[in-house]
Amino acid sequence: TISVAKAFPFVDRFITGSFDGTAIIWNASSCEPLVEIDVTDWVTGVAICCGGTMAVVMTSEGGKYIWDPTEPMSLRQLTDAQSPHVQLAIGVEPFPFGERIATLSGLKTIIWNASSGEPLHVLRQPPRRAEKMAVAFGGDVVATCGGDWASVWDAASGALLHSLPPPPPVRVMPVPPERVARRTHTLWPQRGGRAPCAVAVAIGGAF
């Protein structure tokens, strides 16, 4: 059973991850499987980064894998020496430019160099698990949130920029480029829902 899927940019391919621990790259036109890897555990997240030249897979046991989609044997695991304990990996987002990715698991978000596999910054949330993460369209800001809190981080330094108060529930999402007008972190009402609120992770103008 497929658990996650993402499309490649600019090419006719997409990647799926499954509960059985397999990740497959497909031809989108013919639905023919092109490359398959096995990471053993339930695949909880997939992403395409570095302009489509690298694929990232995350698993329920905290595994973070990256490989060149044209070279299945290039599969390698991203490791963080500060995280000896297994933590459910629940999110992965590529940066729009350059060779960075952000992964969300447990009580922290990590920004990685996708080429070297080196962790660049560890963003530690409050003593509660984050549920969502988003990378700004410009790649300069990362936001994480839980049920009643949100944090905004500088992606270059890993510094905490803002800790946003309730109002719950909180949701993170990037601001569409056409609505980015000025540099400011803000909250704005979300259409529909109960006590809605969303976090602008790229700095936006009014909706």
Side-chain angles (χ1 to χ4, degrees):
T1 303
I2 292 175
S3 53
V4 288
K6 284 284 177 68
F8 278 70
F10 315 121
V11 294
D12 198 21
R13 289 183 294 173
F14 65 95
I15 182 174
T16 59
S18 302
F19 289 100
D20 65 2
T22 58
I24 303 175
I25 295 174
W26 304 80
N27 180 301
S29 296
S30 65
C31 289
E32 175 189 0
L34 303 175
V35 181
E36 179 176 338
I37 62 168
D38 189 344
V39 292
T40 306
D41 303 307
W42 163 32
V43 177
T44 56
V46 293
I48 308 302
C49 62
C50 304
T53 62
M54 303 293 284
V56 186
V57 173
M58 297 183 67
T59 75
S60 59
E61 295 300 312
K64 307 172 186 70
Y65 302 89
I66 190 165
W67 90 101
D68 179 342
T70 64
E71 298 288 342
M73 298 305 292
S74 67
L75 181 71
R76 67 185 188 277
Q77 187 167 8
L78 302 177
T79 57
D80 171 26
Q82 300 181 45
S83 300
H85 305 295
V86 172
Q87 296 179 322
L88 172 66
I90 59 175
V92 55
E93 292 289 339
F95 278 71
F97 309 105
E99 301 180 337
R100 292 179 297 167
I101 58 172
T103 60
L104 172 63
S105 56
L107 299 176
K108 63 186 178 181
T109 296
I110 303 178
I111 298 174
W112 306 80
N113 181 305
S115 294
S116 67
E118 176 189 2
L120 301 175
H121 302 294
V122 177
L123 316 179
R124 297 188 181 278
Q125 283 90 222
R128 288 170 290 174
R129 292 184 180 273
E131 299 170 0
K132 298 291 183 180
M133 169 188 63
V135 175
F137 282 102
D140 59 337
V141 174
V142 175
T144 57
C145 77
D148 60 356
W149 61 270
S151 297
V152 181
W153 312 80
D154 180 84
S157 66
L160 178 65
L161 298 176
H162 300 289
S163 291
L164 305 175
V170 172
R171 184 167 69 91
V172 296
M173 64 182 183
V175 178
E178 64 272 14
R179 293 181 175 175
V180 174
R182 63 184 186 278
R183 186 179 181 85
T184 176
H185 300 288
T186 185
L187 296 173
W188 72 88
Q190 171 192 339
R191 293 188 180 92
R194 177 170 51 88
C197 191
V199 180
V201 300
I203 321 298
F207 274 67

